[in-house]
C-alpha cells in the first residue's frame, strides 16, 4: 500500500508600511506556507510591481532577477510539510495613490498559479 500526501500551499502578502509617503521605502512580506501532508517542489514566486514603483532591496531564500516591473525569484526545490518561506521586498514609489502589488505562486503540484494582491496607499508628504 502506498499512501501519498495532499499538497496544500498558500501565499500571504502583507505591506508592513501602509500608508507610506511617496519617495520613502515601504516593505512587503510574502509568506509561502505548505499546509499539506506532502512536500511541495519547484516553488516559484513572481512579483509584479505597479508603474512608478522600484525595488530597492530583497531578502529571499534564493537569488532573484528584476525585469522591468517584475521580480522573479529562483525556484525553491522542496518545501517540507508545515514549513514556510519568507520573501521581503523593500520598494520605493514615485507615484501617489492606491497601488496594487501582485504576487504569483506556482509549484509542481499546482495545475493553476495562485495570485494574491495587496493594496497600498502612497501619499505626497
Amino acid at each position: 500500500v502506498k499512501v501519498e500526501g495532499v499538497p496544500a500551499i498558500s501565499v500571504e502578502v502583507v505591506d508592513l508600511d501602509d500608508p507610506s509617503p511617496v519617495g520613502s521605502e515601504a516593505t512587503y512580506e510574502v509568506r509561502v506556507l505548505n499546509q499539506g501532508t506532502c512536500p511541495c517542489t519547484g516553488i516559484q514566486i513572481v512579483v509584479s510591481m505597479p508603474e512608478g514603483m522600484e525595488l530597492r532591496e530583497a531578502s529571499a531564500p534564493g537569488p532573484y532577477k528584476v525585469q522591468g516591473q517584475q521580480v522573479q525569484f529562483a525556484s525553491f526545490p522542496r518545501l517540507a510539510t508545515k514549513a514556510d518561506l519568507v520573501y521581503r521586498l523593500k520598494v520605493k514609489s514615485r507615484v501617489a495613490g492606491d497601488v496594487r502589488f501582485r504576487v504569483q505562486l506556482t509549484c509542481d503540484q499546482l495545475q493553476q498559479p495562485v495570485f494574491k494582491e495587496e493594496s497600498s496607499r502612497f501619499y505626497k508628504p
Side-chain angles (χ1 to χ4, degrees), residues 51-125:
E51 287 298 322
M53 183 179 281
E54 65 182 58
L55 180 69
R56 305 295 288 170
E57 180 183 325
S59 67
Y64 63 91
K65 63 182 175 181
V66 178
Q67 291 185 319
Q69 293 304 111
Q70 282 195 337
V71 183
Q72 299 176 342
F73 292 93
S75 180
F76 194 80
R78 185 175 187 274
L79 184 62
T81 59
K82 309 304 179 208
D84 66 350
L85 300 171
V86 178
Y87 300 79
R88 285 190 182 84
L89 296 92
K90 285 189 181 179
V91 301
K92 187 175 185 178
S93 181
R94 298 181 309 273
V95 179
D98 183 33
V99 299
R100 303 280 187 248
F101 185 87
R102 189 172 193 196
V103 175
Q104 174 185 307
L105 164 72
T106 56
C107 75
D108 296 337
Q109 288 73 26
L110 294 177
Q111 294 178 354
Q112 298 286 327
V114 174
F115 294 97
K116 288 286 181 168
E117 274 189 354
E118 181 65 22
S119 173
S120 301
R121 178 157 295 284
F122 290 89
Y123 61 92
K124 292 184 181 181

Side-chain angles (χ1 to χ4, degrees), residues 2-65:
K2 182 178 180 184
V3 177
E4 292 186 19
V6 176
I9 194 162
S10 68
V11 62
E12 298 174 349
V13 184
V14 178
D15 50 351
L16 303 178
D17 309 297
D18 187 24
S20 295
V22 170
S24 69
E25 289 186 352
T27 302
Y28 288 90
E29 184 175 276
V30 178
R31 183 177 300 271
V32 177
L33 176 63
N34 183 357
Q35 300 171 314
T37 57
C38 69
C40 290
T41 58
I43 295 140
Q44 178 80 48
I45 294 289
V46 177
V47 171
S48 297
M49 299 179 295
E51 287 298 322
M53 183 179 281
E54 65 182 58
L55 180 69
R56 305 295 288 170
E57 180 183 325
S59 67
Y64 63 91
K65 63 182 175 181

